Amino acid sequence: MTLNSGTPALKQGLRAWLTSDAPESRFHAQMVQVYAGWQSLCANKLAFIGFMIIVALILVAIFAPLLATHDPSIQDLKATLLPPQTDGHIFGTDDSGRDIWSRVVYGSRITLFIVALVAFTAPVFGLLVGTVSGYLGGWVDTVLMRITDIFLAFPRLVLALAFVSALGAGIENAVLAISLTAWPPYARIARAETLTIRHSDYIAAIQLQGAGRIRIIVGHIWPMCMSSLIVRVTLDMAGIILTAAGLGFLGLGAQPPSPEWGAMISAGRTFIYDHWWIATMPGLAIFIVSLGFNLLGDGLRDILDPKKAES
Amino acid sequence: MSKPLLEVEDLWVRFPSKRRVVEAVRGISFSVGRERVGIVGESGSGKSMTGRAILRLIREPGEVEAKKIHFDGQDLQGLSEKQMRDVRGHKISLVMQDPKFSLNPVMKVGDQIAEAYRVHTNASKAEAKKRSIEMLNAVQIRNPERVYDSYPHEVSGGMGQRIMIAMMLIPEPDLLIADEPTSALDVTVQMRVLQIMDKLVKERGMGLIFISHDLNLVASFCDRVIIMYGGRIVETCRADELQNAKHPYTRGLLNALPDIHKPKDQLSVLERDPKWIEDPSVDAYS
Amino acid sequence: MSNAVDTATPKRRGFSASLLKRLKSLVTVLFSVLLTLVGLLFITFIIGRVMPIDPVLAIVGERASQEIYDAAYISLGLDKPLFVQFGLFLKQIAQGDFGISNLTARPVSEDIIRVFPATLELASLGTVFGIVFGIPMGVVAAVNEGKWQDQVVRFVGLFGYSMPIFWIGLVGLIIFYGILGWVGGPGRLDIYYEDVIPVVTGLVLIDSLIEGDIDIFWNAFSHIILPASILGYYSLAYISRMTRSFMLEQLSQEYITTARVKGLSEHTVVWRHALGNVMIPLITVIALSYANLLEGSVLTEIIFAWPGLGSYLTTALLSADMNAVIGGTVVVGMIFVGLNLLSDFLYKVVDPRAR
């Protein structure tokens, strides 16, 4: 940690260490790679903007109590439907007099919660199914891929809707439903990657050393699937945010009075022609955040796609 | 020989990339009349780029620079893209290496040939079809009507290359550039395809630039040979005087070839001298 | 003996062998489709079973006596093991029977037939929009790779991917209907035009033309144009991006150089030769995007009060109308599978190498 805030000389040393051609340890090699990726990310303007948007989202979620000007759930029936920039309400107020800016700020926590939960469940499950299926092959592969295909055959939103209605409305169930519909593509990607490395010499070498299947899959195949999964997950995040917001909009996701952005749009819909800001502000928030994920994912794909990296 | 068809002076082809500029062709000069000129070199010697640069087919970010590229007295560098299209196919044509990749996979063979004809003439569809079938006959394809209606994946490599030749000769160009036209074919059909091409070129009194890595093949088919190395011309001579070549690279190539009349115990391995890259290019005017 | 036959008629043997191969591949495809469909139905069935709604109560009502309740319980087959119930469920569906909707008190299958044309009309127009604008945009982006045109197309696409469809629908309604008054509001028609023309295809745009009522046609058009453009924008974002990447791949092929050598104009090279090859993989993309629009219309239909399958499904969901939910989900899933099958088939028809 002292390395980061050192003298110029130390900084120089750090740079040399990060751009070294001959890494001394596994950790060193990883850091060199991360640094190279970071540099190309900074060179790609759009991807960098996307990255900054996501960093901003995280900061807003962390510092929500400081950024919010009002309590997001306190109603003020004397100050309903105020347009933006009146009486210290930056984005105006809704039909119960709640401050929209503060609700949008707190809503970022819900969005981040959904994104994080889905990002840590669906890809992991997909990775598990895909690598096991690809590595073991045979009937296990056939059965698992058949199941994956069945899930892929379902339209995502409709399946999520059906799941939520079966499980009951609520944010946890919405997350579960989205994860249940989101894993099949990851399984496909992980399987494809596994098939290409399954017969490679280094896997054979590990097998000769007597490593078990689980150790090979977890220790040697999973890391190889990571970069393509990360790109895909980043690109999917926007879709996940939109689906979650859609469920919220339909009243099947986060329940009122929670300041979930989709639910806020739904509530503002009634007043759309006379009080446009109620539905517009949370909508803008959803749009900016999903744009951020899309820009970053698009840039990551350019960076991690070896075909394009040449030129 | 009278005025040459093609005159090239100080031709450069460069590909700038982020770190450095790759120079594929480095200041070569040559001319071609209504004769058969072979350009020989290993891969990366710039021989293919030379052919494409003449037709102005080098795509961005590649750059072409020359003091002079004249065809039939016409300055090709000064032509607009539209005028250049009239030169391509109609005056200079190019046969590429592998018919598997150089034919459009989803268009009927016949339509591809007829298209080459119609773009340079005002022929009707029926007329173009008639001409195309004649042309398929000329490249010795049996049953040309059936081949006309087939797709590229349905024909063999040798037939595909004959189709390619038919397509490139149908607008009756004055110069044909053949870029490794038989390298992707089975050895058994190579000669046949070459003979067909040679016959048609002779009959029509065209010029031919035959690009190949195969020194023997070039020597037996061409009037004149140009040897390229590292983007430059290292030597040029008449094909029948090749045995007297002086440049060590040419000598090396010749010595690396087995000769049925003078069997050797061991073929020599080509040794390269970095100095060759720096040597000035030899002019190869006819 | 078999040897003699082999050498005598090599051609016929080849022919019958290829026929056998085709038949085999057809059977494989049919089997895998059937398996997918059964799996799809199974998931839907399970969803229906874990729904927090008592299907018996839904039929007999809250105040029925225990005897009536038990009788209904048995007549519904709920006392049997789960897989027997699933068998019964499959049998019902095979007969096109999805049960009665609690909400409309009509057979679900009838309801779906009634509402589906509205969704079909919307998604079809959206896909047409996506194809007409998306393909040229993708081509232009690929031809000008890395230049400003490419950046614009990329940005337009990312914008499309990032916008919540229900939100952009609302904003569109405010601007184009509320403020500018350029388009019709929610619904398929203005209220005084509704139920005027006889239903032939169920597609208002076509029915009005059949009837020769141009006023109704324009009214329907003014209503559909906004939701269709919004759906079309999504389709455009996807189609243009895929077109671009397919185009880049094709433009680097040798046959493109051949086309240039022939002296063809750049226009012909790009739009006839390269795009001709791109259209084949694009079929799958278009089918997928069409299927996505049929699904994506769920939210759009709610915003625009569009009486289609999406509205039907959500209303059913929110009022716990189980039969309608299952029926709707199964139908949407089947459409997905069907479109996939169709695109595979078209692929084989269009690609000379796959015939």
Side-chain angles (χ1 to χ4, degrees):
Chain A
M1 278 303 106
T2 50
L3 278 176
N4 285 330
S5 53
T7 58
L10 209 54
K11 243 183 176 171
Q12 284 257 309
L14 178 66
R15 166 160 300 207
W17 187 76
L18 282 173
T19 50
S20 159
D21 286 338
E24 286 147 15
S25 65
R26 201 172 185 182
F27 173 74
H28 188 183
Q30 279 169 346
M31 285 301 113
V32 169
Q33 264 202 324
V34 167
Y35 186 70
W38 167 251
Q39 277 192 320
S40 36
L41 181 71
C42 295
N44 185 335
K45 262 185 228 144
L46 287 181
F48 191 71
I49 293 174
F51 180 73
M52 292 318 286
I53 290 175
I54 294 156
V55 169
L57 171 76
I58 295 170
L59 290 179
V60 167
I62 293 173
F63 297 110
L66 298 177
L67 290 167
T69 52
H70 297 72
D71 187 311
S73 50
I74 284 192
Q75 305 189 355
D76 180 0
L77 295 178
K78 280 174 290 186
T80 60
L81 303 172
L82 291 178
Q85 306 292 354
T86 36
D87 299 341
H89 295 289
I90 301 172
F91 285 172
T93 59
D94 66 6
D95 56 316
S96 336
R98 292 175 295 199
D99 181 59
I100 294 177
W101 160 252
S102 307
R103 287 178 68 74
V104 169
V105 165
Y106 272 95
S108 66
R109 289 184 163 187
I110 300 173
T111 301
L112 208 60
F113 170 74
I114 294 171
V115 163
L117 226 54
V118 175
F120 283 106
T121 52
V124 172
F125 187 63
L127 185 66
L128 192 72
V129 171
T131 47
V132 167
S133 174
Y135 187 74
L136 296 183
W139 65 267
V140 178
D141 184 36
T142 313
V143 170
L144 286 178
M145 279 303 114
R146 184 49 58 191
I147 294 173
T148 310
D149 279 350
I150 290 167
F151 272 87
L152 272 177
F154 254 113
R156 265 189 174 191
L157 185 63
V158 171
L159 186 59
L161 280 176
F163 272 131
V164 175
S165 66
L167 301 168
I171 187 160
E172 294 82 8
N173 287 344
V175 169
L176 190 61
I178 294 172
S179 298
L180 275 172
T181 57
W183 66 270
Y186 303 123
R188 275 296 185 83
I189 293 170
R191 178 174 176 268
E193 293 274 347
T194 309
L195 287 182
T196 58
I197 50 182
R198 183 169 72 164
H199 295 299
S200 60
D201 291 342
Y202 81 89
I203 293 289
I206 302 158
Q207 278 171 337
L208 288 174
Q209 286 171 17
R213 283 173 177 171
I214 294 174
R215 210 181 105 201
I216 292 174
I217 291 176
V218 175
H220 299 277
I221 292 183
W222 280 16
M224 299 304 286
C225 302
M226 276 306 159
S227 68
S228 45
L229 272 187
I230 288 173
V231 174
R232 182 66 202 241
V233 169
T234 318
L235 280 171
D236 279 359
M237 277 307 126
I240 287 162
I241 293 171
L242 294 181
T243 311
L247 288 176
F249 176 79
L250 291 173
L252 293 167
Q255 295 299 303
S258 146
E260 197 271 323
W261 294 340
M264 284 172 74
I265 297 179
S266 172
R269 210 180 134 201
T270 334
F271 315 98
I272 191 80
Y273 296 113
D274 302 318
H275 311 286
W276 56 268
W277 57 90
I278 304 175
T280 308
M281 296 309 176
L284 270 178
I286 298 175
F287 170 61
I288 290 169
V289 170
S290 34
L291 187 65
F293 276 108
N294 273 330
L295 289 174
L296 180 67
D298 206 55
L300 276 185
R301 181 168 44 191
D302 284 357
I303 293 167
L304 294 176
D305 188 355
K307 249 199 242 162
K308 286 212 104 182
E310 276 175 8
S311 59
Chain B
M1 196 162 281
S2 61
K3 205 171 159 38
L5 269 176
L6 176 74
E7 292 170 276
V8 176
E9 197 183 323
D10 198 19
L11 173 73
W12 290 78
V13 179
R14 298 187 186 91
F15 291 91
S17 71
K18 263 180 201 160
R19 271 167 243 132
R20 62 201 188 99
V21 178
V22 177
E23 294 176 329
V25 178
R26 304 186 302 146
I28 62 169
S29 306
F30 65 97
S31 66
V32 179
R34 293 188 183 274
E35 56 178 337
R36 293 164 303 174
V37 176
I39 300 183
V40 185
E42 57 201 32
S43 51
S45 61
K47 55 191 190 322
S48 288
M49 286 304 152
T50 305
R52 290 181 189 215
I54 294 164
L55 280 163
R56 279 187 23 198
L57 286 170
I58 307 284
R59 309 291 296 171
E60 281 173 22
E63 295 162 0
V64 178
E65 193 195 304
K67 283 211 183 95
K68 180 176 169 188
I69 304 179
H70 280 191
F71 183 80
D72 218 0
Q74 201 174 20
D75 177 13
L76 294 188
Q77 286 173 295
L79 295 184
S80 68
E81 190 50 34
K82 192 157 176 273
Q83 289 167 317
M84 195 61 213
R85 289 208 299 269
D86 200 43
V87 172
R88 289 188 199 124
H90 196 34
K91 293 188 175 146
I92 310 176
S93 248
L94 173 71
V95 172
M96 278 170 290
Q97 187 167 350
D98 195 341
K100 254 204 313 283
F101 302 115
S102 51
L103 291 170
N104 185 338
V106 300
M107 244 172 118
K108 280 181 185 167
V109 161
D111 292 340
Q112 295 187 52
I113 301 176
E115 185 186 43
Y117 185 62
R118 277 171 52 114
V119 79
H120 296 294
T121 56
N122 291 322
S124 68
K125 272 190 183 159
E127 201 184 322
K129 179 167 182 176
K130 197 175 134 249
R131 279 285 297 137
S132 305
I133 288 176
E134 282 170 21
M135 203 62 220
L136 284 173
N137 250 324
V139 292
Q140 302 179 17
I141 284 177
R142 267 174 283 144
N143 211 341
E145 280 87 0
R146 215 195 66 212
V147 172
Y148 186 95
D149 279 321
S150 54
Y151 286 93
H153 71 279
E154 295 167 332
V155 302
S156 67
M159 194 188 273
Q161 200 60 308
R162 279 182 281 156
I163 288 166
M164 190 73 191
I165 292 169
M167 181 161 42
M168 287 306 161
L169 291 185
I170 199 169
E172 307 196 323
D174 298 309
L175 176 67
L176 179 69
I177 303 172
D179 187 355
E180 305 258 11
T182 56
S183 308
L185 304 183
D186 281 350
V187 185
T188 46
V189 296
Q190 281 187 356
M191 271 305 150
R192 175 125 184 268
V193 169
L194 277 181
Q195 278 156 359
I196 290 169
M197 188 174 79
D198 191 52
K199 177 166 167 270
L200 290 171
V201 166
K202 257 191 211 150
E203 277 171 8
R204 287 154 199 246
M206 297 164 53
L208 171 71
I209 299 178
F210 186 89
I211 299 172
S212 175
H213 61 273
D214 189 338
L215 190 58
N216 258 351
L217 197 67
V218 168
S220 61
F221 261 94
C222 297
D223 307 319
R224 213 146 58 79
V225 183
I226 293 172
I227 318 266
M228 282 185 78
Y229 182 80
R232 297 207 161 147
I233 298 177
V234 293
E235 181 152 30
T236 175
C237 63
R238 291 182 47 85
D240 45 22
E241 290 163 6
L242 194 62
Q243 294 309 324
N244 310 327
K246 290 179 206 80
H247 195 277
Y249 178 63
T250 321
R251 295 260 27 123
L253 285 181
L254 287 170
N255 290 335
L257 290 172
D259 187 337
I260 201 161
H261 302 297
K262 286 178 231 160
K264 293 176 226 173
D265 288 341
Q266 197 175 13
L267 291 172
S268 58
V269 175
L270 188 58
E271 304 221 358
R272 289 149 210 274
D273 187 344
K275 192 172 80 74
W276 300 345
I277 301 266
E278 301 309 322
D279 283 343
S281 188
V282 178
D283 291 347
Y285 295 118
S286 52
Chain C
M1 201 187 113
S2 64
N3 251 344
V5 173
D6 281 352
T7 47
T9 54
K11 266 198 172 162
R12 259 191 69 198
R13 187 170 158 269
F15 176 73
S16 69
S18 87
L19 196 75
L20 204 76
K21 214 173 125 194
R22 272 183 191 204
L23 239 136
K24 214 175 145 191
S25 81
L26 188 75
V27 169
T28 319
V29 168
L30 278 180
F31 183 71
S32 91
V33 167
L34 208 70
L35 216 62
T36 311
L37 274 180
V38 171
L40 206 122
L41 288 168
F42 184 69
I43 295 174
T44 331
F45 173 77
I46 292 297
I47 290 173
R49 283 295 169 271
V50 296
M51 263 194 178
I53 309 153
D54 189 336
V56 183
L57 277 189
I59 293 174
V60 297
E62 298 274 344
R63 271 170 292 174
S65 67
Q66 188 65 38
E67 289 79 46
I68 297 180
Y69 182 94
D70 290 344
Y73 188 82
I74 290 165
S75 82
L76 280 175
L78 291 175
D79 54 329
K80 298 191 175 75
L82 209 59
F83 67 90
V84 177
Q85 288 186 38
F86 180 57
L88 287 173
F89 173 73
L90 278 186
K91 200 175 144 200
Q92 262 190 354
I93 294 212
Q95 291 161 349
D97 178 9
F98 294 108
I100 308 286
S101 157
N102 291 337
L103 211 63
T104 60
R106 274 187 298 198
V108 171
S109 47
E110 263 180 40
D111 280 347
I112 289 176
I113 290 170
R114 183 171 44 83
V115 298
F116 185 64
T119 300
L120 187 70
E121 193 170 33
L122 192 58
S124 304
L125 206 63
T127 303
V128 169
F129 185 95
I131 293 172
V132 167
F133 292 96
I135 294 180
M137 279 171 71
V139 171
V140 168
V143 170
N144 300 288
E145 190 195 2
K147 299 200 187 119
W148 66 267
Q149 295 95 328
D150 191 18
Q151 300 296 345
V152 167
V153 170
R154 173 184 280 223
F155 214 69
V156 165
L158 287 179
F159 249 67
Y161 279 129
S162 308
M163 279 206 249
I165 203 161
F166 48 98
W167 177 68
I168 197 72
L170 281 175
V171 173
L173 270 180
I174 301 176
I175 296 174
F176 294 105
Y177 174 63
I179 299 175
L180 296 172
W182 287 356
V183 300
R188 292 177 91 183
L189 284 168
D190 282 352
I191 197 102
Y192 43 88
Y193 281 127
E194 264 171 32
D195 302 319
V196 173
I197 49 164
V199 175
V200 185
T201 59
L203 309 169
V204 179
L205 287 176
I206 291 174
D207 282 354
S208 60
L209 285 181
I210 292 174
E211 193 62 17
D213 195 327
I214 206 76
D215 284 349
I216 291 190
F217 176 81
W218 281 118
N219 188 261
F221 186 74
S222 80
H223 277 265
I224 202 173
I225 185 73
L226 188 58
S229 322
I230 287 170
L231 279 180
Y233 186 26
Y234 279 78
S235 161
L236 173 157
Y238 181 50
I239 291 177
S240 66
R241 152 168 253 151
M242 296 312 284
T243 307
R244 174 184 180 273
S245 77
F246 291 151
M247 259 327 251
L248 283 179
E249 194 190 326
Q250 292 301 326
L251 283 174
S252 64
Q253 301 288 320
E254 277 286 78
Y255 72 84
I256 293 296
T257 310
T258 306
R260 289 197 179 112
V261 169
K262 284 199 253 181
L264 299 178
S265 67
E266 203 53 27
H267 187 269
T268 315
V269 170
V270 169
W271 295 90
R272 189 192 294 168
H273 284 266
L275 190 59
N277 281 274
V278 165
M279 281 318 285
I280 294 164
L282 263 189
I283 288 174
T284 316
V285 167
I286 290 170
L288 200 65
S289 125
Y290 192 39
N292 277 328
L293 286 202
L294 286 172
E295 174 209 28
S297 65
V298 169
L299 291 166
T300 317
E301 283 181 13
I302 290 168
I303 294 289
F304 288 92
W306 200 261
L309 194 58
S311 292
Y312 180 74
L313 201 60
T314 1
T315 321
L317 271 172
L318 294 175
S319 48
D321 185 351
M322 202 180 82
N323 285 342
V325 172
I326 292 179
T329 311
V330 166
V331 167
V332 175
M334 279 181 173
I335 292 170
F336 253 56
V337 175
L339 275 171
N340 263 325
L341 212 61
L342 183 72
S343 80
D344 282 356
F345 174 74
L346 281 178
Y347 198 106
K348 286 198 179 115
V349 171
V350 175
D351 189 349
R353 287 159 294 185
R355 271 177 222 151

